[in-house]
Amino acid sequence: MASILSASNKSMRSDGNTYVGKRFVHVKNPYLDSMDEDILYHLDLGTKTHDLPAMFGDVKFVCVGGSPKRMKAFALFMQKELRLEESREDIKDICAGTDRYCMYKIGPVLSISHGMGIPSISIMLHELIKLLHHAQCCDVTIIRIGTSGGIGITPGSVVITDTAVDSFFKPRFEQIILDNIVTRSTELDKALAEELFNYSKEIPNFPSLIGHTMCTYDFYEGQGRLDGALCSFSREKKVDYLKRAYKAGIRNIEMESTVFAAMCRLCGLKAAVVCVTLLDRLECDQINLPRDVLEEFQQRPQLLISRFIKKRLGLHDQRS
């Protein structure tokens, strides 16, 4: 544990080398400083009820994903990969007092679920970013790992996102705030994406690529599916739309990346999105692979992020 913490307290560049100076997590809300207490309601944490710097001050890597079960599995996987001494039974859900999200801390790694869709991940990110700020964390890298639908690529391929785009193929996140439409950039850290892609090449039988990810507000009609309770378009229009998306550089579709990219960018967090594809949407709409194949596919982003974290901590060569 000591070697992990000492390594994680160094400031790191995207190429793995150290540099002088710290990159703190910023909040863009002038009203927070005047609050006597900040209650992170959906995480069951607070600035008066918990010593956030003591609990989270050493966090350097935050991994978020939709499923509570999957993020617990990732935490257990990282516990093994980082060779920590705690038993598997000792892993505890820090957010056990709420049924909205789960959170596990493994050394300098935080594993958190965010639910499904932009509203759910947005709520989690507001409170997570405030948590990292209150805990005085610095040089934090945050990565969304998950599943997605591919466009024109083989199922099981891992897409490392360079830019998150909306349903019009634009690199933006539009949000209604009061009665205004606010538009924010969704550019992700390209050096981080390249670093992850380079590490993916070291993993045998690991198809990966860098591409745009389209984020939608819906799983069915919003993604051009023909199998929902409602369908207001033809098969031909669906195929034409997805082909235009492919020509625009989009290689997968999910439902969280635009708000994730926008919020992390504004708050000084280096961010990446790494999602495996479970089907090619040009071929079908329903996920019909055997369960064991799906489980293996879903582990692929975890394998890559584990390799990335161990490389950053200087542990990967030791295990090899």
Side-chain angles (χ1 to χ4, degrees), residues 42-43 64 101 113-130 173 175 177 184 217 255-264:
H42 300 90
L43 301 182
V64 305
Y101 308 104
S113 69
H114 58 60
M116 184 180 294
I118 286 174
S120 183
I121 191 175
S122 172
I123 294 167
M124 188 280 289
L125 284 173
H126 273 282
E127 298 186 15
L128 168 64
I129 291 169
K130 291 196 296 177
F173 173 63
Q175 182 175 6
I177 301 177
R184 291 167 173 164
Y217 287 88
M255 296 191 294
E256 293 88 17
S257 59
T258 50
V259 67
F260 174 80
M263 291 184 67
C264 292

Side-chain angles (χ1 to χ4, degrees), residues 172-184 266:
R172 65 189 180 188
F173 173 63
E174 291 187 337
Q175 182 175 6
I176 299 174
I177 301 177
L178 304 183
D179 55 354
N180 296 311
I181 297 177
V182 176
T183 302
R184 291 167 173 164
L266 283 171

Side-chain angles (χ1 to χ4, degrees), residues 2-221:
S3 62
I4 293 176
L5 295 183
S6 62
S8 66
N9 282 334
K10 297 177 182 178
S11 300
M12 300 178 186
R13 299 191 318 208
S14 60
D15 59 6
N17 296 320
T18 59
Y19 65 90
V20 178
K22 296 181 178 180
R23 178 169 41 86
F24 287 93
V25 180
H26 305 295
V27 291
K28 303 289 185 178
N29 182 356
Y31 296 101
L32 288 180
D33 289 338
S34 62
M35 293 171 53
D36 182 54
E37 178 182 11
D38 190 3
I39 300 172
L40 309 179
Y41 174 74
H42 300 90
L43 301 182
D44 193 36
L45 295 168
T47 54
K48 277 194 171 181
T49 55
H50 299 80
D51 187 345
L52 299 181
M55 293 174 66
F56 301 101
D58 64 331
V59 168
K60 299 296 180 186
F61 308 97
V62 180
C63 298
V64 305
S67 163
K69 180 180 178 181
R70 192 181 306 145
M71 298 319 293
K72 181 176 182 179
F74 176 71
L76 289 168
F77 179 59
M78 287 307 306
Q79 187 179 59
K80 179 181 177 181
E81 290 293 286
L82 296 182
R83 296 182 294 177
L84 300 180
E85 298 300 323
E86 293 88 349
S87 68
R88 293 172 66 92
E89 289 74 24
D90 285 339
I91 188 169
K92 294 180 180 178
D93 180 5
I94 298 171
C95 300
T98 175
D99 59 357
R100 297 298 182 184
Y101 308 104
C102 72
M103 177 190 296
Y104 302 94
K105 185 177 182 296
I106 307 298
V109 181
L110 209 56
S111 177
I112 313 172
S113 69
H114 58 60
M116 184 180 294
I118 286 174
S120 183
I121 191 175
S122 172
I123 294 167
M124 188 280 289
L125 284 173
H126 273 282
E127 298 186 15
L128 168 64
I129 291 169
K130 291 196 296 177
L131 166 64
L132 297 173
H133 173 73
H134 292 314
Q136 302 171 25
C137 296
C138 64
D139 306 317
V140 176
T141 299
I142 181 169
I143 302 174
R144 169 171 139 66
I145 56 177
T147 59
S148 62
I151 302 180
I153 58 178
T154 305
S157 299
V158 174
V159 179
I160 302 165
T161 308
D162 55 3
T163 302
V165 301
D166 64 13
S167 297
F168 297 96
F169 315 156
K170 302 295 185 183
R172 65 189 180 188
F173 173 63
E174 291 187 337
Q175 182 175 6
I176 299 174
I177 301 177
L178 304 183
D179 55 354
N180 296 311
I181 297 177
V182 176
T183 302
R184 291 167 173 164
S185 171
T186 55
E187 294 287 334
L188 289 158
D189 191 283
K190 288 183 169 50
L192 178 57
E194 288 287 347
E195 183 181 1
L196 290 167
F197 180 59
N198 290 334
Y199 291 155
S200 72
K201 296 176 184 177
E202 301 173 1
I203 306 174
N205 304 314
F206 195 93
S208 62
L209 64 148
I210 293 178
H212 297 352
T213 295
M214 180 164 67
C215 178
T216 66
Y217 287 88
D218 171 52
F219 184 81
Y220 285 98
E221 284 191 299

